Amino acid sequence: MAERIVVSPREIKFGGEGKAENINRGFAIATLRNPRPEYNFSRGERILANCFDDNQKVPVVVVANEIKQLKDFSVPQLALDGFFSVPHVVNGMKMYPGYEKINKKSIVQAITFVKEDAFNKLHKDLQKDILAHYDVFDGLVKMPELRLLFFPTMCFWLTENGANIEDWVDFLEVNHLISGEEKKKMESYTRMGSNMFKLLKGRSRMLQEVSTKPEDGLFRPLILGAFD
């Protein structure tokens, strides 16, 4: 009998305590890196996010992997790594070894992935759409069916930077991720006789908490802009 060769999944390393917790929430995350041959992951490839400070290796699926000048990445894609403009990336990353000279024209690799369990819960046809989409990330993030993957992470990092629900809804509209009609519905969303949008004004930490909990009654209307 021929010996069966088992190939271990490739890995990508992450430092910092709490990274495994972020990934385990099941929402999409991006990581901006200097391009390297070992990062040539294929879309749909199962890899391990090695969160060494947490002593965890989380199985994830790569949904986009793009290399281009920093200035050519969209704000939503930067937002999945906690940044909201090119200068924000430059100022945030230049303090790390290997990124001291980063600027808007630097060639950067953005690897976007989601926890394997979350990917597997998607409808099979939707999984195929993700892996075959011609426009890679910027096309995927505008698909209403995938808001559950992308919107929570963007909202989490926006509130981490002190933004509130007004900033969040404006961010979605400015980046053409929701329609004007959906924005109006988010701003007028009422529950038990109270306008929830107004209730969350100035309460960025509360909004951040909602963004991490799909079971919360405010998650779909105020994080995803979904009213079905």
Side-chain angles (χ1 to χ4, degrees):
M1 179 183 293
E3 183 178 354
R4 181 169 175 264
I5 300 175
V6 178
V7 180
S8 299
R10 294 195 285 171
E11 297 185 4
I12 185 169
K13 292 184 177 181
F14 292 92
E17 293 183 2
K19 192 66 180 181
E21 179 183 0
N22 290 342
I23 297 172
N24 275 315
R25 291 193 185 106
F27 307 128
I29 290 175
T31 179
L32 301 176
R33 307 278 176 113
N34 285 324
R36 292 183 182 178
E38 57 263 39
Y39 294 155
N40 67 337
F41 307 116
S42 302
R43 292 166 65 190
E45 182 175 350
R46 177 185 184 271
I47 64 174
L48 297 178
N50 183 350
C51 307
F52 51 85
D53 285 325
D54 297 321
N55 197 30
Q56 288 190 49
K57 293 184 179 182
V58 185
V60 300
V61 174
V62 176
V63 297
N65 192 357
E66 301 171 85
I67 299 175
K68 51 190 176 185
Q69 287 188 326
L70 176 58
K71 66 181 179 63
D72 293 329
F73 284 101
S74 67
V75 173
Q77 191 158 14
L78 301 180
L80 288 185
D81 198 16
F83 301 107
F84 292 90
S85 69
V86 170
H88 193 186
V89 175
V90 172
N91 291 332
M93 293 184 67
K94 67 182 180 181
M95 65 184 71
Y96 295 104
Y99 296 92
E100 296 89 348
K101 296 182 179 180
I102 189 171
N103 60 68
K104 67 180 183 180
K105 294 185 178 180
S106 296
I107 302 298
V108 175
Q109 185 163 9
I111 305 163
T112 307
F113 59 88
V114 65
K115 186 179 179 182
E116 182 183 29
D117 288 349
F119 183 84
N120 289 341
K121 287 178 182 177
L122 297 172
H123 191 280
K124 295 298 182 183
D125 288 341
L126 194 53
Q127 292 180 25
K128 292 178 182 178
D129 286 344
I130 290 173
L131 303 181
H133 206 284
Y134 68 94
D135 201 18
V136 198
F137 178 83
D138 288 338
L140 296 175
V141 75
K142 292 180 180 179
M143 294 175 63
E145 303 91 336
L146 295 181
R147 290 181 181 182
L148 177 61
L149 295 187
F150 299 118
F151 283 20
T153 302
M154 294 187 290
C155 185
F156 180 91
W157 285 119
L158 197 65
T159 54
E160 190 72 7
N161 282 272
N164 60 37
I165 191 165
E166 293 169 297
D167 302 310
W168 168 236
V169 174
D170 286 343
F171 169 85
L172 292 176
E173 185 188 36
V174 167
N175 288 287
H176 309 292
L177 301 180
I178 59 172
S179 66
E181 184 62 30
E182 287 172 325
K183 179 183 180 182
K184 290 178 182 177
K185 287 183 178 180
M186 293 176 77
E187 292 174 336
S188 62
Y189 180 68
T190 300
R191 187 179 177 190
M192 294 183 292
S194 298
N195 182 302
M196 293 293 103
F197 180 87
K198 292 181 179 178
L199 181 67
L200 287 178
K201 280 186 178 181
R203 298 178 177 178
S204 59
R205 287 302 171 192
M206 184 181 292
L207 179 63
Q208 184 177 79
E209 186 73 13
V210 172
S211 76
T212 67
K213 296 180 176 179
E215 69 277 10
D216 192 297
L218 299 181
F219 181 87
R220 286 187 61 78
L222 296 185
I223 304 300
L224 305 186
F227 299 90
D228 48 21

